[in-house]
Amino acid sequence: MVKRVHEIDWNIARDPKQSHSVLLAEYLRRMAVFANTGFAIQSPLESPLKILNIENNDLLVEVSTVVEESLPNINNPIHYKICRNYLELAYIIEKGFSKALKVANMYEPIIKFFERGGKLRFDSDKALSCGSAAFVLNNWINFHSDRLETDISDPNLERIDLDNNQ
């Protein structure tokens, strides 16, 4: 997982694609579904350590140290936070934390988003945006938890982008 984050070209300049909004929507859906399982999530950028209520200080320090050393230089603070969360989750899964196994693929859509050149921004702290698509964060859990799961396989994402370019 560390290798995957390091292989992302963070300086790539690509025009927004339809697949970017599909991937961001699926990431928000997965986070919202997780929130509806009884965990307190305030933001789609919440640390999995906080969500899973990990209070073991030794483990928290260990995770923080390992993740900090593993992160590449990412200038966008939203991208940085999400990748940090992704690596935190990967680390606690590797350590055998069973609750984390239930959400092992939670970050897959957003990592694919980054791999495909997607860029995120906050619009007045009220919406998370990519290209021309904006996802309002007010009541985001209820809204996104009701969405149907989206096929984020590479062939489907390529088809979505091709269909929208015609």
Side-chain angles (χ1 to χ4, degrees):
M1 292 188 174
V2 172
K3 181 180 177 194
R4 188 171 180 194
V5 171
H6 277 274
E7 289 177 348
I8 295 171
D9 183 350
W10 295 103
N11 298 314
I12 196 167
R14 289 203 178 135
D15 290 334
K17 299 178 181 181
Q18 185 64 32
S19 63
H20 292 164
S21 59
V22 168
L23 288 164
L24 181 54
E26 179 59 16
Y27 167 69
L28 292 170
R29 186 198 69 79
R30 290 181 186 196
M31 290 292 288
V33 167
F34 185 51
N36 275 341
T37 60
F39 293 95
I41 299 177
Q42 302 300 316
S43 162
L45 304 180
E46 197 85 54
S47 165
L49 302 175
K50 185 174 180 183
I51 295 168
L52 295 167
N53 202 25
I54 296 175
E55 295 179 348
N56 177 328
N57 284 334
D58 291 338
L59 179 59
L60 292 172
V61 169
E62 181 181 339
V63 170
S64 182
T65 301
V66 170
V67 168
E68 247 342 281
E69 292 171 355
S70 303
L71 276 167
N73 185 20
I74 303 171
N75 293 327
N76 181 314
I78 303 167
H79 298 185
Y80 175 87
K81 177 68 175 136
I82 291 171
C83 287
R84 181 180 179 84
N85 293 346
Y86 171 69
L87 293 177
E88 285 177 355
L89 182 63
Y91 190 78
I92 60 175
I93 288 171
E94 194 174 284
K95 291 299 248 179
F97 195 75
S98 61
K99 284 184 185 177
L101 292 172
K102 297 176 186 174
V103 293
N105 291 321
M106 185 165 54
Y107 291 97
E108 184 61 21
I110 201 70
I111 297 301
K112 276 191 168 198
F113 171 88
F114 295 144
E115 289 171 335
R116 297 172 70 81
K119 304 287 185 221
L120 292 174
R121 69 182 184 282
F122 275 119
D123 292 334
S124 305
D125 291 335
K126 295 180 183 175
L128 194 55
S129 299
C130 64
S132 61
F135 296 85
V136 177
L137 296 178
N138 184 29
N139 203 24
W140 70 276
I141 293 172
N142 289 335
F143 180 79
H144 290 287
S145 63
D146 291 338
R147 296 178 87 136
L148 295 175
E149 184 173 357
T150 303
D151 175 5
I152 62 165
S153 66
D154 289 332
N156 191 53
L157 295 172
E158 293 298 329
R159 184 191 54 75
I160 289 169
D161 289 337
L162 187 61
D163 288 350
N164 283 289
N165 284 335
Q166 294 181 3

